[in-house]
Amino acid sequence: MFDSGVGGLSVLKAIRELLPNENLIYIADSKHTPYGSRSNQFVEERVHTIAQFLVERPVKALVVACNTATAAGVHSLREKYDIPIIGLEPALKPAVEFSSSEKVGVLATQSTLDSQKYQALRSRFIEHADIIEKASPLFVELVESAPEIGTEQVAMIEAELQPFKKAKVEALVLGCTHFPFLTTVISQIMGPEVTLFESAMPVAREVKRRIENNLNSQPDSGWINYLSSAPDKAQETFNLLLKQKVDIDLF
């Protein structure tokens, strides 16, 4: 699995919880993060470079643990490779189904919101809910830089969330894998009346479904190999988010 940076670790945690025996390779393209501010062509090229590296290992499934990368490259990956390829999309469907007030917020990167994949998803539900969208590169930067979330950071996050508070959304979709690492502070700011929706566990369940006939049967034998295109840059953030020191190889 791979992401532009550390955000996909939220997906890795869910997959490890559901599939403790599987061997996992995680690549953070830290040298080029964030993908949300990159061109679609650039992201698609990085997606194929990383996917080729992983397929050559070989792997039995590939997870594009990034909404922006999924939008840019998952279709062409599926045309090229004959293995299960699982991508991400904002959890808009369950959020709309949940919201009795029919007011749903979507927090994502600009690339995700502009993508044809997201626009197609949005068109399926726009008649059923008032969808309030906001792009937030700030949240990606906060997670990637691994700061302590102090008063200054909380104020910045609160300012980003104001459109959703003003609209009084009942459901808020975290449409980027980085954002779940800020769930605690987002929940505190939005209040108990707002339910957050993200994609990590649904993706993990889909991975399990797609490889259920090829699971590792040796109990608790799964290892994790972490790689990054900029290990020194990523090391502190990996340690903080995983709550342990890990070895990161150069990709």
Side-chain angles (χ1 to χ4, degrees), residues 161-224:
L161 295 174
Q162 281 308 303
F164 304 120
K165 290 182 69 69
K166 184 177 180 180
K168 297 182 179 179
V169 301
E170 191 176 22
L172 178 59
V173 177
L174 304 183
C176 173
T177 53
H178 286 74
F179 299 168
F181 288 109
L182 298 172
T183 292
T184 299
V185 65
I186 292 173
S187 293
Q188 290 172 348
I189 291 169
M190 294 304 297
E193 66 276 10
V194 177
T195 300
L196 306 183
F197 290 82
E198 47 93 12
S199 303
M201 189 51 71
V203 167
R205 287 194 289 266
E206 179 64 9
V207 172
K208 183 177 182 180
R209 186 186 72 82
R210 297 288 295 277
I211 66 170
E212 61 185 352
N213 294 325
N214 191 23
L215 293 173
N216 188 352
S217 59
Q218 298 180 2
D220 300 319
S221 60
W223 47 258
I224 304 177

Side-chain angles (χ1 to χ4, degrees), residues 27-46:
I27 295 179
D29 195 12
S30 309
K31 185 177 181 179
H32 301 105
T33 193
Y35 280 172
S37 60
R38 303 281 190 172
S39 71
N40 189 75
Q41 180 181 351
F42 179 89
V43 175
E44 186 173 19
E45 289 174 354
R46 291 304 297 168

